[in-house]
Amino acid sequence: MLNWETLLSATRYGHPADRDPNRSDFHRDYDRIVFSTAFRRLGRKTQVHPFSVNDHVHSRLTHSIEVSSVGRSLAITVYHLIKKYLPQYFNEFHFGMIVQSACLAHDIGNPPFGHAGEAAIREWFRKNRNSAPLKDLSDKEIADFENFDGNAQGHRILSKLEYHFLDGGMRLTYATIGSMVKYPQLAKYGSPTSLFSTEADLYRNTAEVLGIPEIAPGKWMRHPLVYLMEAADDICYSILDVEDAIELGILYFADVRDMFSYLCGPEVDIDKEYQENGMNLRDFLSSVRGRAIQNLIDDVAVTFVNHYEEIMNGTLEKHLTDLSRSDVMNGIRIAKRLGIERIYPDRRKTELEVGSYTTLSTVLDAFVNGVHDYRQNGRNSYRADRIVRLIGQAKIGQSVTTAEAYHQVLDFVSGMTDNYATYLARQIGGLAMGL
């Protein structure tokens, strides 16, 4: 069984930090994430609806902030239910801050255009497997790219790229890193994954410190707090994707009435709330959202306790939101069904996602081939030299492996905002058309 004494380790990646009398180690993790450039760029990355002209629609940034808020409240609720199992020196605010930080960073590795962007990257590498730049990569190396996942890119950002490049990254605590690794298996075993082979040794060290066993080659048990991070994400995207769809005129009150009736419970008269808010959906949502989320937090916390032994033994495979059979969780099931049937197939969204494939293909064609040329010819190739300068990594030449060089290309490409990826593809395409 996993042990909280090691699971809550404040040991850091890379180098130990000086003590701060005003902030705990876990508060410092949160601050480092907030001030990172990777986190800031989430403000111009798609949550569900690309390039929305409605300022009330969520970006990855607003989504991540909301998930972190729910995650903190959920963790504190769970803390009080399992306090007898936890170290006496560990308080609820430290416990909550670990989950809050993990939630804040859970989407930090997502590429432009959200899940469509992930799919576009995977498809490009699969289609170009036999091209000159990729043909010499091993099956293990190409698997990182063919199974590209924003979760694995997020782990790479936190542990290697931001602040201290290739030297511990953000140098977060092992507890925070472990709590955000949603799928602790290497990409070579398929997608979804939270770990590339290039960071395998880093995570293996993390798991050893946290006392998380490797249950199969390249696959580990989950950190228990991952379940809380995952549940907070489930709660937020289910409810807030519906809110965005209402803002965009995809859904109306009649579509969501039963959903919010379940979420808010019998103590809230949904029809009365709607009438008292002047039948204004935005005001209605503002008045019932808090009650709905609080009910879900309470329900998930109880579900965590009910499955505590499975979680601590590493045998629980389902989401906490899928395990509950309460009335309140019926609201989440309705929300997910609305997502599948009404929100995600929206025509404008689909059109923009199709366009994202062309955008990212154009960018990857230019940059992967450019880096391949640079590694072959160095500064003798004017175009390749300019591409490497644009990426901004001095270590992309012969000093690293070919696989690491292409990971650094994806560090650049996946870090782009939707706007910048579109702008750059147009620039590249325009130049190509003019030649």
Side-chain angles (χ1 to χ4, degrees):
M1 181 176 279
L2 298 171
N3 186 331
W4 286 111
E5 289 279 355
T6 53
L7 288 168
L8 300 173
S9 172
T11 305
R12 290 191 177 278
Y13 261 55
H15 303 271
D18 295 332
R19 302 294 297 176
D20 185 330
N22 302 310
R23 295 180 298 161
S24 72
D25 289 306
F26 308 115
H27 282 84
R28 296 174 81 176
D29 285 352
Y30 181 87
D31 293 345
R32 291 180 185 191
I33 296 165
V34 164
F35 283 94
S36 68
T37 55
F39 183 71
R40 190 182 315 147
R41 285 195 295 266
L42 295 178
R44 290 295 183 92
K45 288 192 178 186
T46 296
Q47 170 62 18
V48 174
H49 304 279
F51 300 116
S52 175
V53 296
N54 187 320
D55 290 338
H56 288 269
V57 169
H58 289 81
S59 67
R60 286 281 168 186
L61 182 68
T62 50
H63 168 72
S64 297
I65 293 170
E66 290 169 351
V67 173
S68 73
S69 178
V70 172
R72 180 197 62 233
S73 297
L74 175 56
I76 291 173
T77 305
V78 167
Y79 173 91
H80 290 293
L81 295 175
I82 65 168
K83 186 177 179 179
K84 64 182 179 181
Y85 301 117
L86 300 173
Q88 291 185 355
Y89 60 83
F90 214 85
N91 66 41
E92 64 265 49
F93 303 111
H94 295 152
F95 199 73
M97 185 54 66
I98 294 172
V99 176
Q100 185 171 13
S101 296
C103 289
L104 195 72
H106 84 283
D107 273 349
I108 203 167
N110 273 38
F113 312 113
H115 294 305
E118 287 178 313
I121 290 170
R122 290 194 288 262
E123 184 173 310
W124 187 91
F125 279 96
R126 288 168 186 162
K127 283 185 174 180
N128 290 277
R129 175 66 176 103
N130 297 317
S131 64
L134 306 182
K135 63 182 177 63
D136 293 330
L137 293 178
S138 69
D139 290 343
K140 182 182 80 169
E141 290 170 331
I142 197 66
D144 279 357
F145 306 111
E146 292 184 348
N147 296 318
F148 176 84
D149 194 298
N151 291 290
Q153 185 65 27
H155 175 257
R156 181 174 164 86
I157 288 169
L158 299 185
S159 64
K160 184 180 277 189
L161 305 181
E162 281 280 329
Y163 296 145
H164 304 283
F165 182 68
L166 304 185
D167 188 24
M170 291 191 194
R171 299 178 182 172
L172 303 180
T173 63
Y174 287 115
T176 294
I177 292 286
S179 299
M180 67 82 62
V181 177
K182 190 174 181 181
Y183 307 109
Q185 69 170 10
L186 297 177
K188 68 178 182 179
Y189 297 112
S191 186
T193 175
S194 291
L195 302 167
F196 293 134
S197 61
T198 44
E199 288 74 56
D201 289 342
L202 286 174
Y203 186 74
R204 188 167 278 111
N205 183 52
T206 302
E208 287 175 1
V209 172
L210 296 173
I212 296 175
E214 190 170 357
I215 55 178
K219 184 174 183 178
W220 290 263
M221 281 187 188
R222 277 179 153 196
H223 193 294
L225 297 184
V226 168
Y227 292 95
L228 302 184
M229 180 270 287
E230 182 179 63
D233 187 29
D234 283 353
I235 289 169
C236 286
Y237 86 73
S238 296
I239 293 178
L240 301 170
D241 285 0
V242 166
E243 286 200 26
D244 286 347
I246 289 170
E247 282 286 346
L248 295 171
I250 299 169
L251 297 176
Y252 300 93
F253 178 73
D255 300 310
V256 301
R257 182 197 175 280
D258 290 346
M259 167 190 157
F260 279 103
S261 182
Y262 279 119
L263 291 174
C264 294
E267 65 268 30
V268 177
D269 186 327
I270 293 298
D271 295 310
K272 182 179 178 182
E273 284 287 340
Y274 184 52
Q275 293 294 332
E276 289 183 350
N277 281 283
M279 298 173 62
N280 181 303
L281 269 173
R282 187 182 293 170
D283 292 343
F284 163 76
L285 293 170
S286 296
S287 70
V288 300
R289 184 194 302 114
R291 169 53 58 188
I293 291 176
Q294 186 60 58
N295 287 345
L296 288 164
I297 286 172
D298 293 340
D299 189 79
V300 168
V302 170
T303 305
F304 184 95
V305 173
N306 290 342
H307 294 273
Y308 182 77
E309 285 195 14
E310 295 166 79
I311 290 168
M312 298 305 289
N313 286 324
T315 57
L316 186 65
E317 296 184 354
K318 292 185 177 181
H319 293 212
L320 295 176
T321 53
D322 291 334
L323 289 165
S324 171
R325 288 294 173 264
S326 67
D327 285 345
V328 68
M329 208 55 71
N330 284 334
I332 290 294
R333 283 185 268 279
I334 293 173
K336 289 183 176 181
R337 187 172 69 245
L338 287 170
I340 293 169
E341 296 176 357
R342 300 279 299 281
I343 301 171
Y344 307 139
D346 177 63
R347 183 178 180 84
R348 179 183 179 276
K349 177 180 180 297
T350 303
E351 290 170 349
L352 289 168
E353 286 177 343
V354 171
S356 73
Y357 272 68
T358 303
T359 295
L360 289 176
S361 292
T362 300
V363 171
L364 287 169
D365 280 339
F367 283 85
V368 172
N369 284 288
V371 166
H372 174 69
D373 189 7
Y374 182 82
R375 290 173 63 81
Q376 298 285 104
N377 302 304
R379 289 185 172 83
N380 294 324
S381 170
Y382 182 87
R383 180 174 179 273
D385 182 53
R386 292 304 183 273
I387 282 174
V388 170
R389 286 191 190 184
L390 192 58
I391 292 173
Q393 300 291 13
K395 298 181 181 180
I396 207 166
Q398 298 299 334
S399 60
V400 298
T401 65
T402 301
E404 175 61 27
Y406 295 148
H407 270 292
Q408 291 184 27
V409 171
L410 279 189
D411 295 339
F412 180 64
V413 173
S414 66
M416 293 177 183
T417 62
D418 298 3
N419 307 66
Y420 184 63
T422 303
Y423 161 80
L424 197 57
R426 285 173 179 164
Q427 295 296 96
I428 293 168
L431 288 171
M433 289 174 63
L435 294 176

